[in-house]
Every structure is written in structure tokens, then in C-alpha cells.
Amino acid sequence: MRRRPFAEDPELISLRAQLADANERIRVLESERTATATRDPATQLLTRGAFREAAERELARTRRSGSPATLFVVDLDGFRELNAAHGSEAGDRALAAVAAQLREVTRTSDIVGRTGPDELAVLLPDTALPGGTLCAGRLVDRLDKAELTALGPVTVSAGVAEHRRGHSLEALLSRASVSLDRARRAGGARVDDGVLHAGPGDEESFHNPHADVIEALAVTLLERDRYTGEHSESVVAMARSVARGLGMPSSDIERVGAAALLHDIGKVAIPDHILNKPAKLDPQEWELMREHPVIGERILRAIPGMGTVARIVRHEHESFDGSGYPDGLSGDAIPLGSRIILACDTYHAMTSDRPYRARMPHADAIHELARCAGTQFDPRVTEALIGVLHGLRQSGSPLVA
Ligand SMILES: [Fe+2]
Ligand SMILES: [Fe+2]
């Protein structure tokens, strides 16, 4: 008898079908599992981690295309009181109701996530600041009018920020939360438009007519030296938080932020073989490297209105005890902004992998900061920074991963 060709064997056909079936079931189960891992169960919005991942991807695209992007954060007014009075399920229900309204006012291309216990965030691709403010305003209006839950009225506050070229997601989120703070302080149930106004107590507001120049310089640094560019972006978020923690007025916080972003701009003038050397520098190379704060100051002095920022940059490597460079200043003679940047810069450098050494664990870096408080660092600044780092770690920030 002629043997049937192998492929037609009915047993084999049935086995293949079963295998295909099993594979399909595995695929469905896996996709369900990843879907639940990226969705917050209470609101069905992206989880914090999934939101950050999607937003980072979108910002990378924005960087390449040069198109705008705007982010807003939404916070439930009186969330804590609601939870205290009616339990946490009531809080979750109110949040779910807000999330449902948020879906109504956003597009499918918008990235919407739950970024905190009572905080939602939306990244709007291809949208400038006014568009983002309008969208957040629609949400606030809807909630103002609608009877959402049996709990009575639910209102929200929102803060808006437009993405700036060369800035990180971290910087964007921190600017939006500064704006949210203003909306809350103004009584809630409103959107702050994300434009920085000088508060009372700000003697002089920092309206820099050269924001574009600052951004262009930041991008130049990023192109020249990827590590230093990205390092500077991370230092901005920390330095601003420390400045806020020390109670500096908002105009000064802006200056510290600009100085942090550009503190290493002088490195554009350092030769490649020194900048990218995969080993420790020899004394001669060090001498050249140590010029970067002075070169940075010179570059920034050329921009009118940037004198204070330039001075902060010049002194970013001065030690509290006077052993730093370029001028050997000590204590209060060093601009506060420079003292803040030095501590944030050192923490970030210690916890980053470099070609010639591995990163230090977070706990060891904290220990090192504390050990050098009073010698290298201003003790007050160190204390504020350790507080900020603790908060960032608690909120799962990648800055302190
Ligand atoms: Fe530096
Ligand atoms: Fe630095």
C-alpha cells in the first residue's frame, strides 16, 4: 500500500490545529495580562509607569519632528476629605467619573494616565499651550455642570505646561505641577494657564526674552555631548525642587532652573579627547576641564538679561569650605543657586554609569552627600536635597532609580 504523504496524516493535521489553538490562547492571555498591567483598575487609564513610557516615546518623536506637545495634570479638589468622609472606594468612584469625562474631551492620540493617588495626566501631541489649556478647561467646565456621582459635585484643578525642546519629561511634569499648585492656591475648580506670573513677594520677575536662546544652547550641549546634555536635564528637576523647598521666590527658581540646564554649557569648548576620555583625566587635562564654568559664564554673559544666571554658572564648582574653583569662594559668598546645583550635580553624577566607573547605589550617594555637608556642600542645601530625593524615590521617579 502506498503511504499517504506525511502532511496529510489526519492525526498530524489535528495535532497541528490543536497547537495553533493553544498558541492563540497563549497570545490572548498574554495580551490580556499586559493590558491589565498597563491599565489602572479604578480608572482604566494608563498606570503611572505605562504613562511615562508612552509619554517618553512621544517626546522623543516630538524632538525629532520639532512639533509642539503640551501636558496637563489634573487633581481632584478635596480628595483627602472625600476619602476620609466616605472611604477610599468613594474616592476611586469619583476619580473614575473624572476619568470618564476626561476621555470625552481628549483625542485617541492623546496619552492619558493616572500618575498619582488623585492625579491624572494628559500629554497632547501636536498641541501648543493654548490648545492644552482649552482642553483642560473643557474638563473643568464639564465637571462643574455635571451631576456625576451620588457624592455630590466633584471639581478638579489643572496645571498646564508646553514641552520645551531639549527638556525631559521630568522637567515638563514639574512645570505642570507648579502650574497646578497655582490653580489650587487660587481656590481650585480652575485651570492655570501655565504662564508664569510673578507672585507677591517677587520683587522682580524673571521674564527672559531669550527663552529660545536658552533652549538652543541646551540643544547644542545635547548634540555635542549626549551624557552632559541629559545629565543637565535631570539636574534641572532636582535643583528646582530644592530651590522651592528652600522657599526661594518663583523668579529665582526660574533662574536656578535655567542655570542648572546650562551649568555645563562651557563644556562645548572642551576638546573631544578630554570630554569623551574613557578614563580618569591627567592633571593637565583636569586644568582644561576646570575652565568650563568660566567659559560657561562668558557664553551666558553675551545674552542680555542673563547676568544672574551667568554668575550662578561661574560658581557651580565652588565648595562651601572655600576649596572649590574658580574663585575659591566660601559659605554665603557663593550664590545660593550655585550651591544648589553643585549638590544636585554631584548626586546625579555619582548615581550615573560612566565609561570609567559604575554608578553608586542611591543609599551610598545619600551617605556621601551627608558626609560632605559643611565641607563641599551647604548643609541647608544638602538637607533640602535629601528631602527632595526621598520624595522622588517614594513617587517612583526614574531620577533616583
Ligand atoms: Fe560642571
Ligand atoms: Fe554637571
Side-chain angles (χ1 to χ4, degrees), residues 62-81:
T62 300
R63 249 169 239 141
R64 285 192 299 273
S65 67
S67 50
T70 295
L71 177 134
F72 67 83
V73 286
V74 176
D75 191 278
L76 253 74
D77 297 325
F79 187 71
R80 204 172 294 162
E81 292 80 349

Side-chain angles (χ1 to χ4, degrees), residues 227-228 231-232 235 260 263-264 267 292 316-317 341-342 344-346 348-349:
Y227 166 75
T228 302
H231 151 81
S232 303
V235 173
H263 73 274
D264 279 334
K267 288 192 181 170
H292 79 268
E316 58 128 351
H317 284 285
I341 291 170
L342 178 72
C344 298
D345 176 272
T346 309
H348 185 261

